[in-house]
Amino acid sequence: MTAGAFPFEANPNPVDAARRAELLADPGFGRVFTDHMVTIRYSDDKGWYDAKVGPRAPLTLDPATAVLHYAQEIFEGLKAYRLADGSMALFRPEQNARRFQRSAKRLAMPELPEDLFLQSCRQLIEVDQHWFPPVEGGSIYLRPFMIASEVFLGVKPSAEYLYMVIASAAGNYFKSGAPAIKIWVSEHYTRAAPGGTGAAKCGGNYASSLVAQSEAIRNGCDQVVFLDAAEHRWIEELGGMNLFFLFDDGTLITPPTDGTILEGITRESILVLAREQGLNVREERYAIDQWRADATSGKLVEAFACGTAAVVTPVGSVHSQNGSFTIGAGGPGQITQQLRAKLVDIQRGIAPDPHGWVQQIS
């Protein structure tokens, strides 16, 4: 099928305007959902078919549905922003579409055509744009995902799939209120190994990170950082974000995406903006013991995490069973703030977009 306008069925019982306004006053993240969703089906016989936008509703699944047993599932995350002229726009959605295809290939799932991915996101925003929250940093967060929907028990790729997009009004990702987050170093768990699914955006990667994330929270931290599986020495990424390290000589380092780290779209955007700002940007491995030494000596002046949900977030301190260390003054660094401001201003149409990253919807 091709990506024309999908058939639309309005939700017969949408959230009323007064209740919606109440929810949007403080939406938080990932808990306030819009009235509609997109569905597209796939089968080996038909290919992609039955695309539509309809009322958001619960799913009914047979107990033997493949995803429940063999975890064939992938997802994406991207945001829609309201621009200065009142229109809505997406930030680099074609990159999400392509990463979704790479994830599908790794999980032995069919690759959704890029035009269908883009149309599904655009149309849902057109229908539910009144769910944009009037709060600082507000956005509509889109969650495209695909699950194996064939009813069978047996270890093989499913012959049927369900692709969906849901939307959520979003405020700030972190609720701690601190100017910079605290990081916990996972000593016992790894997120991914060479040859695994680290570069794919699949639920299993996140499920395996939760025990380490829980350990981080118990130790008063906001996020966990994972080390490599082979030597348990090299910094990889947080539970859901990429990491950057800024040094006193203007060098900016981030771990390379070599198959165990998710290729973040915010990460790639930061690489471009940092080079334009004149920083010496390098993608290379960085060890946890070197992180401690550089922070202690003052050579490392800033560190930050980045991702779609949290955008750019300063890292203030790092904690582990072997002690703690602080980065710089423990708060947001000047370059971190500059890069975040540049990125956000482009996303929201405040600053020029020389790279064509912003795709206006309506």
Side-chain angles (χ1 to χ4, degrees), residues 105-358:
K105 184 176 181 180
R106 179 61 183 85
L107 271 292
M109 304 171 82
E111 296 179 36
L112 181 75
E114 184 176 324
D115 60 346
L116 289 180
F117 182 99
L118 296 176
Q119 177 62 23
S120 67
C121 295
R122 289 176 184 143
Q123 196 163 337
L124 185 56
I125 289 299
E126 288 174 354
V127 169
D128 279 346
Q129 61 181 282
H130 53 279
W131 279 91
F132 186 88
V135 298
E136 183 179 356
S139 63
I140 297 180
Y141 181 82
L142 294 171
R143 171 52 57 88
F145 64 100
M146 178 164 54
I147 63 172
S149 57
E150 184 181 1
V151 177
F152 79 101
L153 296 178
V155 183
K156 72 173 186 67
S158 175
E160 299 174 1
Y161 296 88
L162 175 63
Y163 167 78
M164 305 182 69
V165 188
I166 56 176
S168 171
N172 290 324
Y173 185 75
F174 288 110
K175 283 293 189 180
S176 66
I181 60 173
K182 297 179 179 179
I183 300 298
W184 177 257
V185 180
S186 178
E187 305 280 353
H188 307 294
Y189 305 101
T190 54
R191 177 186 171 275
T197 59
K201 200 166 177 67
C202 60
N205 290 344
Y206 294 82
S208 65
S209 75
L210 296 179
V211 64
Q213 177 63 26
S214 297
E215 184 179 64
I217 292 172
R218 286 197 305 272
N219 284 277
C221 294
D222 303 287
Q223 271 282 331
V224 62
V225 62
F226 290 99
L227 306 178
D228 72 292
E231 299 180 59
H232 215 59
R233 176 191 176 200
W234 302 102
I235 298 162
E236 295 216 317
E237 63 176 283
L238 303 189
M241 292 180 286
N242 298 117
L243 273 171
F244 281 84
F245 308 93
L246 179 71
F247 299 86
D248 57 5
D249 64 354
T251 298
L252 185 68
I253 290 177
T254 190
T257 53
D258 55 4
T260 60
I261 294 176
L262 187 69
E263 297 178 14
I265 294 159
T266 305
R267 172 188 181 276
E268 199 274 333
S269 303
I270 290 293
L271 290 175
V272 173
L273 296 177
R275 290 188 176 107
E276 291 177 348
Q277 193 163 319
L279 297 176
N280 174 23
V281 178
R282 303 206 303 261
E283 296 180 67
E284 61 184 45
R285 297 202 298 177
Y286 189 53
I288 182 63
D289 53 351
Q290 194 63 50
W291 191 3
R292 178 187 293 273
D294 290 343
T296 301
S297 70
K299 181 180 178 182
L300 178 73
V301 293
E302 299 179 32
F304 61 87
C306 68
T308 297
V311 193
V312 174
T313 301
V315 175
S317 59
V318 180
H319 306 262
S320 72
Q321 294 177 348
N322 298 317
S324 305
F325 59 91
T326 300
I327 299 160
Q334 182 179 4
I335 300 299
T336 299
Q337 291 176 303
Q338 290 175 0
L339 289 171
R340 186 185 193 282
K342 284 187 177 182
L343 179 61
V344 170
D345 285 353
I346 292 173
Q347 290 173 333
R348 298 183 181 277
I350 298 171
D353 176 24
H355 306 287
W357 288 342
V358 176

Side-chain angles (χ1 to χ4, degrees), residues 74-94:
I74 59 174
F75 67 96
E76 270 300 323
L78 64 160
K79 287 180 177 179
Y81 301 92
R82 191 175 297 283
L83 304 183
D85 64 2
S87 63
M88 297 294 294
L90 296 168
F91 182 73
R92 308 190 74 181
E94 75 286 348

Side-chain angles (χ1 to χ4, degrees), residues 40-44 46-49 110 149 159-163:
I40 310 177
R41 296 189 175 275
Y42 176 91
S43 71
D44 287 349
K46 297 181 181 180
W48 295 101
Y49 70 101
S149 57
E160 299 174 1
Y161 296 88
L162 175 63
Y163 167 78

